[in-house]
Amino acid sequence: MDQSCFSTEQRRSCQTMNPDLFKSCPENSPLAPTQKPNRSKCEQTKVELAQVVIDPKTGRSYSKGKLLGKGGFARCYEMTDLSSNKMYAVKVIPQSRVSKPHQRDKITNEIELHKTLQHKHVVKFSHHFEDQDNIYIFLELCSRKSLAHIWKARHTLTDPEVRYYLRQIISGLKYLHNKGILHRDLKLGNFFVNENMDLRLGDFGLAAKLETVEQRKKTICGTPNYLAPEVLNRQGHGTESDVWSLGCVMYTLLCGNPPFETLDLKETYKCIKEVKYTLPPSLSAAAQKLISAILQKNPSDRLTLDQILAHEYFSKGFTPDKLPPTACVMVPELNPPSPAKKFFTKMAKSLFRKKKSKEKNPSEDKEDISKLVSGIVKHSISRQISYKTVGVNEVASPAGQLAVSGPLDTPAEDVSRKSTSRSFKGTVASSTDGCEDLLTPASVAEATMKVLINCLSSMPAASRNTPCVTKPKPFVWVTKWVDYSNKYGFGYQLSNQNVGVLFNEGTHLSLCDQRRVVRYCLTNNKHFTFQADTLPEQLQSQKHIVELMANYMEQNLMEGGDLGCDEQPSPTDCPLLLQWMKTDHALVMLFNNGSLQVNFYTDHTKVIMSKLADTYLLTYVSRERISSSYSLNTLCEHGCSSDLRHRLHYVVQLLQHYNKT
């Protein structure tokens, strides 16, 4: 179904290469050949549609809305179900256009085929009915029209946008081909875009079941500029013909015009048969290679859909997760992933390939390193994990997501942790089982929540913050961080330059004292300390990952602020991250020394609750990156600004929600 640009009946049933047939009623598309046709026959089919259409079988009434698209064969209107207010795109076909048996058979086949399709990148079929005047096919409404409209407004698209659309087209096309269906009319006007900028493949008027080579249809159908050589040469239709059209679509979106378009239709056909086109130098090298690999004269030489997705144009290029609606009319502002992802992926692949070749007994090493999987529980309030790689002062709010990675103190897992044992082939400098090991994320969250609630309940109103502690005692806090949990874990740098990573499976490794000391924590909370040069072989891989993240943060991220302490924290002070969480507004980190830190995305302010002996020190880093530290007793007595109070209330609500879950 084309909600914008319909092929004509003459174009659909074309049985010859004579270009004059295309002139009788042309493609109503900006991509059609530039000859001016005679439209008199098309205009004779116009039928005035009533403002309210009634289904004669169910009695349901539908109010006609705006015209979405038209052609010589049918028109498409926006219609609203008056009983439910649901809106549809409705293809309206006059009965006069299906008076002959073969014409009605084509519509019946289109309906029966489309009814069987259910895929996120295929226009959804709802229902159909007919009255004495028309046939009505009710389909999913795609409010942002089609790629033809976007192309007309933009003329050319950027590589990330083209990758975004092509990935979705290929997804829908693979679904059709797997069901043995050829589309046979892939063009910009048949790719529809919904309210959320998701693409839908539509208009199955020319679609056909895939036949064997001997049975393939030899008819010529489709849009002239997108016809494959084997279609023009009557060699029959196969999936390769759809792939050819896909290559023409890619070329058109990147270059602004179809690859074989000329002023004369015969010349266009000649160019197609000879695969004669030019690749503008403005195209990236990867785009040129991919287009050339698709537009091959011999169908068997063309890339398959899977090979297209594996091509460097996709594998080495940025594809956005979503496009803004403004992309329909102007170049969008897209935020490619930071260099961290490419940096880590390249280095880690190299690292693990090297390690894998050295392993004598992979099963033993796996048992040794990942026995801890049984001890990890991942918890998410939104039931989603955010994999966005971001750093301090680079954070974009991740749309309502909250991610948690790390061990939780649940009864079942507690038993699992206590039963977990681990031995290393190396010298253990020390093994600690002190009181800090008794702290869990839940206990840190509960203790912090209680002191904040007590403070806020007794805090008087104030227009500004109370005078801060002139010389706060030194404490460590997170100055930089990077979320690479889609592969390995969450990395962070402390204010004393120590770095750590909480790995996805629940283990934790820190590099302390100028990276000369390594601290390692199992999921059963057992801690080990090693000199870096005596680190056991089975921990080397994790150490390398920590070093990669540390180097990235050092080279690419800004410090989160300056606390201005006269005395710096000890380089041996290295609290371990117990758990991190992402909400739609902030990042929360809980540490095994009882401290908590909350980084707010939008203005980069921070709230740090440092556990010092039997009291807490609250530090607030403002938008201007200026820090102020207060004892909670002082805040209880004098109050604080509305900005800080608002943030403290948010932290309390978050911790309350956390404890309930």
Side-chain angles (χ1 to χ4, degrees), residues 441-451 655 658-659:
S443 63
V444 173
E446 183 176 7
T448 308
M449 180 186 69
K450 286 181 178 179
V451 296
L655 295 177
Y658 171 81
N659 284 337

Side-chain angles (χ1 to χ4, degrees), residues 475-649:
F475 62 91
V476 292
W477 61 291
V478 175
T479 58
K480 301 178 182 181
W481 60 274
V482 58
D483 175 3
Y484 200 40
S485 56
N486 61 330
K487 285 285 187 180
Y488 303 111
F490 183 92
Y492 59 94
Q493 176 184 292
L494 297 172
S495 52
N496 58 1
Q497 304 306 307
N498 292 340
V499 292
V501 171
L502 177 57
F503 289 93
N504 289 340
E505 75 272 21
T507 58
H508 189 292
L509 192 145
S510 298
L511 302 179
C512 310
D513 197 7
Q514 300 180 349
R515 305 192 186 181
R516 292 177 296 196
V517 175
V518 178
R519 292 191 66 189
Y520 185 68
C521 181
L522 290 166
T523 53
N524 61 1
N525 284 334
K526 190 170 183 65
H527 294 71
F528 297 85
T529 302
F530 306 91
Q531 293 300 311
D533 55 2
T534 63
L535 188 68
E537 177 64 26
Q538 57 264 52
L539 296 182
Q540 292 292 341
S541 294
Q542 286 177 287
K543 176 176 177 286
H544 282 304
I545 295 298
V546 177
E547 289 173 335
L548 291 176
M549 293 196 189
N551 292 340
Y552 173 78
M553 289 186 286
E554 181 179 344
Q555 296 169 15
N556 295 279
L557 304 183
M558 296 175 59
E559 296 284 347
D562 183 12
L563 294 193
C565 297
D566 293 338
E567 185 181 350
Q568 295 301 315
S570 169
T572 60
D573 192 358
C574 197
L576 302 183
L577 179 66
L578 295 175
Q579 198 166 56
W580 58 277
M581 300 177 287
K582 276 184 176 179
T583 72
D584 52 350
H585 298 297
L587 166 73
V588 184
M589 293 167 281
L590 304 168
F591 290 88
N592 71 339
N593 63 354
S595 297
L596 172 145
Q597 180 170 330
V598 182
N599 290 14
F600 292 90
Y601 301 138
T602 54
D603 56 10
H604 309 300
T605 57
K606 300 167 186 66
V607 171
I608 306 163
M609 292 286 292
S610 306
K611 185 77 161 56
L612 303 176
D614 295 330
T615 185
Y616 282 87
L617 183 72
L618 187 149
T619 300
Y620 177 55
V621 181
S622 69
R623 297 177 180 86
E624 296 76 25
R625 298 164 56 83
I626 299 173
S627 65
S628 304
S629 296
Y630 313 93
S631 70
L632 284 190
N633 290 336
T634 302
L635 287 180
C636 290
E637 183 178 350
H638 298 285
C640 64
S641 67
S642 58
D643 279 353
L644 179 54
R645 184 190 291 264
H646 174 75
R647 283 160 177 76
L648 295 181
H649 275 294

Side-chain angles (χ1 to χ4, degrees), residues 30 98 178 234-235 270 293 303 317 346 384 399 411 420 441 558 659:
V98 293
N178 288 337
R234 296 179 178 273
Q235 295 172 242
K270 181 181 178 182
L303 298 183
K346 181 178 179 181
Q384 296 182 33
T420 302
M558 296 175 59
N659 284 337

Side-chain angles (χ1 to χ4, degrees), residues 120-172:
K120 62 181 178 180
H121 294 304
V122 173
V123 170
K124 293 180 179 63
F125 182 97
S126 177
H127 61 286
H128 76 287
F129 64 83
E130 58 182 288
D131 57 24
Q132 62 181 3
D133 296 320
N134 303 296
I135 298 173
Y136 306 91
I137 303 175
F138 286 71
L139 301 144
E140 172 188 8
L141 177 65
C142 294
S143 60
R144 303 203 183 276
K145 300 186 178 180
S146 71
L147 281 189
H149 291 86
I150 296 174
W151 174 87
K152 191 172 183 180
R154 296 276 308 280
H155 194 58
T156 60
L157 303 185
T158 63
D159 280 310
E161 292 174 278
V162 172
R163 280 189 285 266
Y164 172 83
Y165 290 123
L166 286 184
R167 282 187 183 277
Q168 298 181 55
I169 293 171
I170 291 173
S171 176

Side-chain angles (χ1 to χ4, degrees), residues 356-404:
K356 188 174 182 179
S357 64
K358 292 181 179 179
E359 288 175 348
K360 295 182 179 179
N361 190 337
S363 61
E364 284 185 5
D365 187 73
K366 183 178 181 181
E367 174 69 18
D368 210 21
I369 291 293
S370 43
K371 181 187 295 182
L372 1 129
V373 171
S374 62
I376 177 156
V377 176
K378 289 184 180 179
H379 165 76
S380 173
I381 291 177
S382 69
R383 306 184 76 87
Q384 296 182 33
I385 296 180
S386 171
Y387 294 142
K388 187 175 178 66
T389 303
V390 285
V392 172
N393 294 329
E394 296 180 0
V395 184
S397 177
Q401 294 180 335
L402 180 144
V404 181

